[in-house]
Amino acid sequence: MKPTAETPIKDVNRAIVLRPLVGAELHTRDYEARLLEAVGLAQALELHVAAAEAAPLRQISPRTFFGAGRVERLKAQADELGAGVVVVDSALSPVQQRNLEQDVGAKVVDRTGLILEIFGLRARTKEGRLQVELARQAYERSRLVRTWTHLERQRGGLGKTGGPGETQIELDRRQIADRIVRLKRDLEDVRRTRGLQRRARARARLPAVVLVGYTNAGKSTLFNR
């Protein structure tokens, strides 16, 4: 479909970052540091942050997390800036995420999804990639449970596509479950190998150094230096 005045072009690398303020945060200035942190996480995912702001909330909407007025302003802002991504620095339910995407017309990423994407981008070892993919599959499974709205849709029974009467959500859940089982098995194999290598280093009396820190804190930069 060609973009029209009603469907403006949006850049999937351009983002709006929102830091919700709920409860005690409404009366403190700590949110400024949290907002800067959220912007840093978005930039770590190589997103161009076109706008970033705090979003005070008197109450959380079960449907879209934010109130109707904020959602309308967010849509207008995304259209004006051409932002194809909205980063919400909080945990969203699958229903809230889906409804926000539909109402705003942009991809919505919550804090958990954002951090998983960063881990996926930066994972270098086989074990790291497997761990990230395992976490991502568990996250997607939680999204799947509540977001399907066409449970009446059926898939026929041919080969591995499921038996007669198996709904689309049941098929997708089973595929994710199978994927998780395979990932856990592969991860166990990698950990077994790493255990052997670790014991070999210990016998050789080689020192071990571990870097532990928050996301985007500079662990890789320090290691490389």
Side-chain angles (χ1 to χ4, degrees):
M1 181 178 64
K2 292 183 178 180
T4 65
E6 289 73 26
T7 57
I9 299 175
K10 292 182 179 177
D11 186 347
V12 295
N13 294 314
R14 183 180 292 266
I16 296 172
V17 176
L18 291 179
R19 168 61 190 171
L21 302 181
V22 185
E25 278 192 309
L26 289 169
H27 309 291
T28 67
R29 297 187 62 84
D30 293 343
Y31 72 85
E32 293 179 347
R34 293 296 299 270
L35 179 59
L36 288 175
E37 177 194 52
V39 169
L41 290 175
Q43 291 172 337
L45 197 55
E46 301 180 356
L47 293 172
H48 170 66
V49 179
E53 60 184 272
L57 292 174
R58 290 189 177 88
Q59 60 183 11
I60 295 175
S61 165
R63 183 183 180 277
T64 54
F65 193 86
F66 300 104
R70 166 66 67 173
V71 173
E72 289 179 5
R73 293 196 300 274
L74 185 57
K75 174 176 172 42
Q77 188 178 28
D79 290 345
E80 179 183 355
L81 297 175
V85 180
V86 174
V87 175
V88 179
D89 188 32
S90 186
L92 300 178
S93 73
V95 171
Q96 289 168 337
Q97 182 177 359
R98 181 197 62 195
N99 289 335
L100 267 178
E101 288 182 338
Q102 291 176 344
D103 292 354
V104 177
K107 178 177 176 61
V108 173
V109 181
D110 70 354
R111 184 177 179 86
T112 302
L114 181 66
I115 291 176
L116 282 175
E117 290 293 334
I118 294 172
F119 284 167
L121 183 66
R122 297 189 172 187
R124 293 292 180 267
T125 65
K126 183 176 181 180
E127 183 178 13
R129 289 193 294 269
L130 287 171
Q131 288 176 326
V132 171
E133 183 60 23
L134 182 60
R136 193 197 306 275
Q137 290 295 320
Y139 177 76
E140 291 299 328
R141 181 171 60 180
S142 73
R143 306 284 101 178
L144 185 67
V145 170
R146 302 178 184 85
T147 55
W148 279 94
T149 58
H150 56 288
L151 302 186
E152 73 281 1
R153 184 180 300 179
Q154 305 291 321
R155 292 284 287 264
L158 289 177
K160 296 184 178 180
T161 58
E166 183 174 29
T167 62
Q168 181 66 52
I169 188 173
E170 288 169 344
L171 176 62
D172 291 345
R173 288 172 66 181
R174 181 161 59 84
Q175 289 176 338
I176 288 179
D178 290 345
R179 174 68 173 159
I180 287 175
V181 170
R182 290 195 299 271
L183 286 169
K184 286 182 177 179
R185 185 170 58 244
D186 292 344
L187 188 57
E188 184 59 33
D189 290 341
V190 171
R191 285 173 172 168
R192 189 179 301 111
T193 301
R194 285 173 61 87
L196 294 173
Q197 295 171 341
R198 189 178 298 112
R199 286 192 290 273
R201 288 194 297 269
R203 287 194 296 270
R205 298 182 180 276
L206 294 175
V209 177
V210 179
L211 297 178
V212 181
Y214 192 69
T215 304
N216 210 35
K219 298 184 297 296
S220 297
T221 300
L222 178 60
F223 178 82
N224 292 333
R225 292 286 177 85

